[in-house]
Amino acid sequence: PIEFHDIQERNQILHGRDIVSNLDIDDSFYRAQVEYQLRAKLLRRRQKAAGVLQDKELLVKLLAESVSTCCILTRHALRRSGFGAGWRQREIVEQARERFGLDAAPFLSLLDLREGKIKPRSLEAAPLFTEYLKQIQVVVDAVDQLEK
């Protein structure tokens, strides 16, 4: 359902007839897919970070590489919770702050880094890692509370 919702919402016809707009998407496992993907990403971040905890630059790079996927999954968590979710990453983070009580700071720091607004050395890797994972867990917990 995650992919089909994205395709349906961002669909552009380049040639031929529109076969996506009227597609009936079965949402019976949507919440479960969002929760599974979030938990899997959280576990992978922990596993990968275990190998680079001593290297601050690699740890920050690992986190920065994951923020886009976390924003996509957070968007779907918002969508599944009945909250209209935007497409821009900062907008998604702000909406998650409003809806789930997410602390946006770790996400915004990583987005700033990806956009070249700050340098990796300006971030404290270990506290950022800890806070980032806590906030992903906030989203996981919010999805876990949704009606199954």
Side-chain angles (χ1 to χ4, degrees), residues 83 93-102:
F83 200 78
V93 171
E94 178 58 27
Q95 291 168 334
R97 186 191 63 72
E98 291 172 23
R99 178 72 171 182
F100 303 140
L102 179 95

Side-chain angles (χ1 to χ4, degrees), residues 119-134:
K119 300 286 183 199
R121 288 186 213 120
S122 68
L123 297 171
E124 292 293 327
L128 178 61
F129 171 69
T130 301
E131 282 307 308
Y132 181 59
L133 293 188
K134 274 187 202 176

Side-chain angles (χ1 to χ4, degrees), residues 110-127:
L110 292 169
L111 291 172
D112 285 346
L113 177 65
R114 286 183 59 101
E115 295 165 5
K117 294 178 181 176
I118 59 173
K119 300 286 183 199
R121 288 186 213 120
S122 68
L123 297 171
E124 292 293 327

Side-chain angles (χ1 to χ4, degrees), residues 130-148:
T130 301
E131 282 307 308
Y132 181 59
L133 293 188
K134 274 187 202 176
Q135 298 316 308
I136 295 171
Q137 187 64 54
V138 166
V139 179
V140 170
D141 292 344
V143 171
D144 194 41
Q145 298 299 313
L146 296 175
E147 184 178 317
K148 298 183 188 232

Side-chain angles (χ1 to χ4, degrees), residues 3-67:
E3 291 81 4
F4 283 113
H5 282 295
D6 283 348
I7 290 168
Q8 196 171 51
E9 291 174 20
R10 300 295 281 200
N11 154 40
Q12 289 184 352
I13 313 265
L14 300 177
H15 179 73
R17 63 187 180 96
D18 182 0
I19 61 170
V20 176
S21 292
N22 295 324
L23 191 64
D24 185 27
I25 302 169
D26 181 1
D27 281 343
S28 53
F29 296 105
Y30 187 27
R31 189 206 61 79
Q33 184 187 16
V34 173
E35 182 180 2
Y36 170 79
Q37 291 290 330
L38 281 164
R39 287 184 189 279
K41 295 295 177 208
L42 186 59
L43 181 60
R44 269 188 238 124
R45 282 314 114 225
R46 287 183 179 137
Q47 289 171 334
K48 286 186 174 187
V52 296
L53 278 174
Q54 300 306 316
D55 188 330
K56 293 176 182 180
E57 285 186 36
L58 282 177
L59 181 58
V60 169
K61 181 180 178 193
L62 173 75
L63 298 177
E65 289 172 353
S66 76
V67 74

